Amino acid sequence: MSRAADRSAQGETLSRAVWSVLAGQGLERLTVRAVAAAAGCTTGLVMHRFPNRQALLLHARQLLHQVTRGRVEALEAAAGSPRAALRAVLHQGMALDEQTRQEAIVWMGFLAAAVTDDELIAEHRRSNRAWRDRIERLTAASAPEWTAERVATVALALIAMTEGVAAYAAADPAAFPAADQERMLDATLAAHGLLEADPPW
């Protein structure tokens, strides 16, 4: 294996370790030592890439943005209409399975840490604004007759609903099963006239 390939493999291992510690053990236990244990390497190797806890958190947030951006771009490309794309993109943002539940936990953990950190909150705001821009664009395409103000208001309502239910479901998945979350999404889209087909209930 080349030196570059070896560095890339190490980077992927450390990324998975950062993610698993934050999602599985919580913000308070995200430390260089915990990441080293999860990665099966020395703390020195972790610190070579992530010199402090802030760097670990920043990497986790950037990784979350990369993972979700790739997924939503694929969903948009595969959708047959703007409304189908809007639903698919919002749907993947809820805590419907173990992967998306972990993503919701990472998002909340990062937000908690970012509140008092200028660099972290700037990264959080950049990602959130990109997400809002995407939902506004898909909402506008789904309802081209709407005013810009109505598009912005409804897009924000859709974001608040899906991210809110993701937070609740991440903390208590038994109380918010995937089927209930999906019905909530469809009911909200239907209330705004944005559901492509009649809801199945």
Side-chain angles (χ1 to χ4, degrees):
M1 181 181 290
S2 70
R3 190 170 297 178
D6 187 54
R7 284 197 299 268
S8 177
Q10 284 182 348
E12 290 179 8
T13 298
L14 291 176
S15 290
R16 287 195 300 270
V18 171
W19 186 276
S20 67
V21 171
L22 185 54
Q25 300 182 42
L27 177 63
E28 295 304 315
R29 295 187 180 179
L30 181 66
T31 63
V32 168
R33 186 180 299 277
V35 171
C41 67
T42 65
T43 56
L45 182 61
V46 176
M47 292 186 71
H48 180 70
R49 180 157 182 173
F50 306 113
N52 52 46
R53 191 164 180 266
Q54 183 190 48
L56 291 172
L57 285 164
L58 189 60
H59 179 70
R61 185 64 179 91
Q62 291 168 342
L63 185 61
L64 176 60
H65 181 67
Q66 291 168 12
V67 167
T68 55
R69 182 180 61 194
R71 189 167 64 224
V72 299
E73 287 176 353
L75 289 168
E76 274 197 58
S81 70
R83 291 186 178 188
L86 177 62
R87 185 188 186 278
V89 168
L90 290 168
H91 182 268
Q92 66 78 44
M94 298 188 294
L96 300 167
D97 54 27
E98 186 57 28
Q99 178 182 345
T100 50
R101 179 175 174 270
Q102 285 189 355
E103 289 170 1
I105 293 170
V106 169
W107 187 93
M108 290 186 291
F110 185 90
L111 177 58
V115 169
T116 58
D117 187 297
D118 290 342
E119 183 180 3
L120 296 181
I121 201 65
E123 177 67 25
H124 199 59
R125 287 171 178 167
R126 277 193 295 271
S127 296
N128 284 351
R129 286 169 183 167
W131 176 243
R132 185 172 181 177
D133 288 345
R134 183 183 297 274
I135 300 304
E136 285 188 2
R137 174 173 55 78
L138 291 173
T139 301
S142 298
E145 72 281 6
W146 285 7
T147 65
E149 182 179 16
R150 185 177 180 186
V151 166
T153 300
V154 171
L156 187 57
L158 292 169
I159 291 168
M161 190 285 294
T162 52
E163 292 188 355
V165 74
Y168 279 108
D172 190 0
F176 295 88
D180 287 357
Q181 294 181 60
E182 290 170 349
R183 282 192 290 270
M184 290 171 67
L185 174 59
D186 286 342
T188 305
L189 288 169
H192 292 291
L194 294 173
L195 192 63
E196 191 164 45
D198 290 336
W201 32 264

